[in-house]
């Protein structure tokens, strides 16, 4: 793509013609989009549309099969822009939390800086304490994940990702595994984070969150972006039939 | 018929054998655990060549009798100039044997950790070694203890194989008493009871740990 270099000027993230296959199954069939610093993107789509895989490709948790990813002006390529550096700069929050069960909340949050950035223990733990306060969990610092609710575990996971001072946060269905009455705890933290100017890509079906926070909504189906625009454009005037039928199902649910 | 007096009269001799058995078990187990962890890690993360070599080792050991290995180490290695005294020869053969089983114990434990754990570690920027050391292995530690305790109990019993190279362990001494008193049943029953005294607490401990892990 000739315009690749100019496209990436000033952009936080540029994804070009991304493909991902598992064996003979192609899950992402050529996806391109870009985002500015501080931009908030919500990705929606039916299950199997490839939205989770797309997010997991951005930090190489799933290495893309083809295509280009440029992050912060640097082309991500195995070998060139070190994948590990990329992951330090991109925080990730998982559907299943994936907090470390053998560590306390505080240790969970401090581990990344301690191990990866070689931060001194005192400094790492002091900052971990601040981050736990930020997600409303100061009182759970010495609890292990097994003693916490899903909502609390997910907030620990958010604090753990923030401890690396990422430039972008990826949220892969962050509230799908959480009891309905606790979802707001997690969404509140995410809304506050967005308010502070954190760039984020959020895979979610939470329409309320998307309307409140998203600069742009991307709608995916069968491995392709079929529609994108502001929340009001996509939710109120969907152009594609598949978007309309999906939205009607989500709204009914 | 069992003559309890034979057991009691020769108890110090049986206990001396039991000490050899226990020493052999503990020393072999330490070497086997360290080697098993290394072999298991090499098998999982060492790449294609090392992975294949360790796989051959594990399968070869699991498919042959431990007794054969003891005979090779004690009787066959001297022919190529490697002459080990009895105790080291016994330790080497038992450790080489059990390392293969313990490597599989570690592999099963690592594989039982959900994939999301290493993904979370990688997402923070950790490399594979860091993820292993700080996230995966600490979690396998608890899961590995019950099966390791089981291996320990099995090793207590398998040390009896070294009587074939005339190590004076519990079984060997029991046979000596049998020959001396012309009554094999009594000392062998005595040996059986002493084996049970050693293995039962270990297996019970393993069961308790298993309940705790669940």
């Amino acid at each position: 793509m000739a315009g690749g270099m100019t496209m990436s000027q000033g952009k936080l993230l540029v994804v070009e013609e991304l493909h991902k296959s598992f064996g003979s199954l192609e899950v992402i069939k050529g996806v391109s989009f870009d985002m500015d610093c501080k931009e908030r993107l919500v990705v929606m789509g039916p299950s199997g549309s490839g939205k989770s895989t797309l997010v997991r490709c951005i930090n190489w948790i799933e290495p893309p099969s083809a295509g280009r990813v440029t992050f912060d002006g640097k082309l991500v390529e195995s070998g060139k822009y070190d994948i590990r550096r990329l992951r330090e700069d991109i925080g990730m929050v998982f559907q299943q939390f994936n907090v470390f069960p053998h560590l306390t909340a505080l240790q969970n949050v401090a581990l990344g800086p301690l191990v990866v950035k070689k931060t001194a223990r005192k400094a790492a733990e002091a900052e971990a304490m601040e981050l736990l306060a930020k997600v409303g969990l100061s009182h759970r610092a010495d609890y292990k994940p097994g003693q916490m609710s899903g909502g609390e575990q997910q907030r620990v996971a958010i604090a753990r990702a923030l401890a690396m001072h990422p430039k972008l946060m990826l949220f892969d269905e962050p509230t799908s595994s959480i009891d309905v009455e606790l979802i707001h705890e997690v969404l509140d933290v995410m809304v506050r984070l967005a308010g502070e100017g954190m760039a984020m890509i959020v895979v979610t079906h939470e329409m309320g969150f998307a309307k409140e926070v998203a600069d742009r909504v991307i709608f995916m189906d069968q491995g392709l972006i079929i529609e994108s625009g502001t929340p009001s454009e996509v939710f109120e005037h969907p152009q594609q039939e598949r978007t309309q039928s999906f939205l009607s199902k989500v709204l009914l649910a | 018929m069992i003559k309890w007096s034979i057991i009691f009269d020769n108890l110090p001799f049986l206990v001396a054998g039991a000490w050899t058995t226990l020493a052999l078990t503990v020393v072999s187990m330490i070497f086997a655990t360290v080697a098993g962890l290394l072999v298991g890690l090499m098998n999982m993360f060492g790449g294609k060549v090392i992975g294949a070599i360790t796989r051959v080792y594990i399968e070869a050991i699991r498919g042959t009798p431990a007794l054969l290995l003891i005979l090779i180490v004690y009787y066959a290695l001297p022919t190529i100039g490697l002459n080990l005294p009895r105790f080291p020869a016994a330790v080497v053969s038992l450790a080489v044997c059990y390392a293969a089983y313990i490597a599989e114990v570690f592999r099963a434990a690592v594989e039982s950790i959900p994939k999301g754990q290493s993904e979370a570690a990688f997402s923070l920027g950790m490399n594979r070694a860091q993820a292993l050391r700080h996230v995966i292995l600490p979690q396998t530690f608890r899961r590995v203890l019950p099966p390791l305790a089981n291996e320990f109990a099995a090793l207590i019993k398998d040390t009896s194989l070294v009587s074939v190279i005339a190590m004076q362990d519990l079984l060997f001494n029991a046979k000596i008493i049998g020959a001396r008193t012309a009554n094999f049943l009594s000392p062998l029953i005595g040996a059986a009871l002493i084996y049970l005294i050693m293995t039962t607490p270990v297996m019970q401990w393993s069961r308790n740990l298993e309940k705790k892990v669940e």
Side-chain angles (χ1 to χ4, degrees):
Chain A
M1 194 180 266
M5 287 311 291
T6 45
M7 252 178 84
S8 64
Q9 292 301 314
K11 293 285 185 188
L12 179 65
L13 176 72
V14 182
V15 174
E16 294 163 278
E17 275 303 305
L18 190 109
H19 291 255
K20 175 67 184 180
S21 301
F22 296 100
S24 59
L25 181 71
E26 192 171 33
V27 179
I28 298 180
K29 302 169 179 169
V31 163
S32 303
F33 68 94
D34 57 56
M35 62 187 287
D36 296 319
C37 298
K38 301 193 177 183
E39 196 171 348
R40 277 109 20 165
L41 216 63
V42 163
V43 184
M44 287 191 169
S47 66
S49 60
K51 54 193 192 304
S52 276
T53 308
L54 174 66
V55 167
R56 289 161 60 85
C57 278
I58 289 171
N59 64 348
W60 253 248
I61 290 293
E62 300 286 0
S65 309
R68 287 154 52 101
V69 175
T70 309
F71 183 76
D72 209 15
K74 283 166 281 190
L75 179 66
V76 185
E77 236 176 0
S78 311
K80 273 194 179 172
Y81 176 23
D82 188 357
I83 304 296
R84 272 187 279 135
R85 280 305 311 276
L86 174 79
R87 289 173 178 159
E88 282 183 49
D89 291 340
I90 300 182
M92 185 159 205
V93 175
F94 299 85
Q95 183 179 347
Q96 302 296 339
F97 327 138
N98 297 345
V99 281
F100 305 133
H102 59 299
L103 300 177
T104 64
L106 186 78
Q107 290 167 330
N108 261 278
V109 180
L111 188 67
L114 275 173
V115 171
V116 178
K117 295 198 162 166
K118 314 287 181 207
T119 310
R121 181 170 295 275
K122 262 196 176 165
E125 286 181 350
E127 198 188 350
M129 217 43 230
E130 280 171 33
L131 286 166
L132 283 177
K134 186 173 174 168
V135 299
L137 288 177
S138 304
H139 59 301
R140 293 282 186 263
D142 296 325
Y143 282 49
K144 289 200 172 170
Q147 305 163 294
M148 288 188 270
S149 72
E152 290 173 332
Q153 290 186 47
Q154 192 62 302
R155 285 184 283 155
V156 170
I158 293 173
R160 176 179 69 180
L162 291 175
M164 296 299 290
H165 299 288
K167 295 174 180 144
L168 168 66
M169 286 281 286
L170 306 174
F171 292 86
D172 182 8
E173 304 206 29
T175 56
S176 302
S177 309
I178 295 174
D179 292 336
V180 178
E181 73 271 22
L182 301 177
I183 285 179
H184 69 93
E185 296 179 353
V186 175
L187 290 180
D188 286 350
V189 169
M190 292 167 63
V191 170
R192 229 178 309 138
L193 211 54
E196 291 168 11
M198 174 64 78
M200 46 174 83
I201 301 179
V202 185
V203 176
T204 184
H205 292 165
E206 297 288 335
M207 302 271 288
F209 173 82
K211 282 181 190 160
E212 185 177 350
V213 165
D215 298 305
R216 197 150 42 107
V217 174
I218 283 178
F219 190 84
M220 283 186 76
D221 191 31
Q222 296 177 11
L224 289 168
I225 295 177
I226 59 167
E227 191 154 355
S228 90
T230 63
S232 64
E233 282 168 358
V234 174
F235 294 154
E236 284 152 37
H237 312 286
Q239 302 298 306
Q240 301 289 326
E241 200 185 311
R242 280 178 287 174
T243 318
Q244 291 162 10
S245 88
F246 175 78
L247 288 174
S248 64
K249 279 177 210 150
V250 171
L251 289 175
L252 282 176
Chain B
M1 282 306 292
I2 302 183
K3 277 193 178 162
W4 294 101
S5 60
I6 294 182
I7 299 177
F8 286 120
D9 292 346
N10 293 288
L11 201 55
F13 192 55
L14 284 175
V15 169
W19 275 116
T20 304
T21 292
L22 207 57
L24 199 55
T25 306
V26 170
V27 176
S28 305
M29 189 68 189
I30 291 170
F31 282 110
T33 305
V34 174
L37 175 61
L38 290 176
V39 171
L41 290 178
M42 287 195 293
N43 182 246
M44 284 180 282
F45 306 107
K48 264 191 186 154
V49 178
I50 293 175
I53 293 171
T54 47
R55 177 53 48 197
V56 167
Y57 158 68
I58 291 167
E59 295 307 325
I61 295 292
R62 296 209 305 174
T64 48
L67 186 56
L68 189 83
L69 194 62
I70 295 170
L71 292 175
I72 289 176
V73 170
Y74 191 67
Y75 290 115
L77 286 190
T79 59
I80 58 163
L82 210 64
N83 218 330
L84 289 176
R86 280 197 185 93
F87 191 85
V91 167
V92 166
S93 25
L94 289 172
V96 166
C97 176
Y98 269 71
Y101 292 97
I102 289 172
E104 291 289 271
V105 165
F106 278 111
R107 193 174 60 86
V110 168
E111 281 173 2
S112 74
I113 306 293
K115 224 176 99 205
Q117 289 292 309
S118 45
E119 286 179 357
F122 292 151
S123 80
L124 292 169
M126 289 189 205
N127 60 30
R128 200 183 248 176
Q130 290 167 333
L132 257 182
R133 169 157 151 41
H134 296 282
V135 175
I136 305 300
L137 287 184
Q139 294 185 55
T140 57
F141 183 68
R142 267 178 304 173
R143 296 183 196 213
V144 117
L145 278 180
L148 273 188
N150 264 333
E151 293 295 333
F152 188 82
L155 184 54
I156 292 176
K157 295 181 287 172
D158 273 356
T159 52
S160 63
L161 294 168
V162 301
S163 62
V164 76
I165 58 172
M167 279 260 346
Q168 299 213 12
D169 72 326
L170 177 54
L171 185 64
F172 189 88
N173 284 4
K175 281 193 289 185
I176 290 179
I177 298 165
R180 221 165 41 203
T181 59
N183 180 329
F184 275 95
L185 184 62
S186 305
L188 289 179
I189 293 291
L193 292 175
I194 296 177
Y195 276 118
L196 279 173
I197 288 170
M198 293 193 283
T199 54
T200 310
V202 178
M203 290 195 291
Q204 190 54 46
W205 184 58
S206 166
R207 252 176 254 125
N208 291 345
L209 279 175
E210 231 165 289
K211 270 186 218 142
K212 252 193 208 165
V213 171
E214 278 161 17

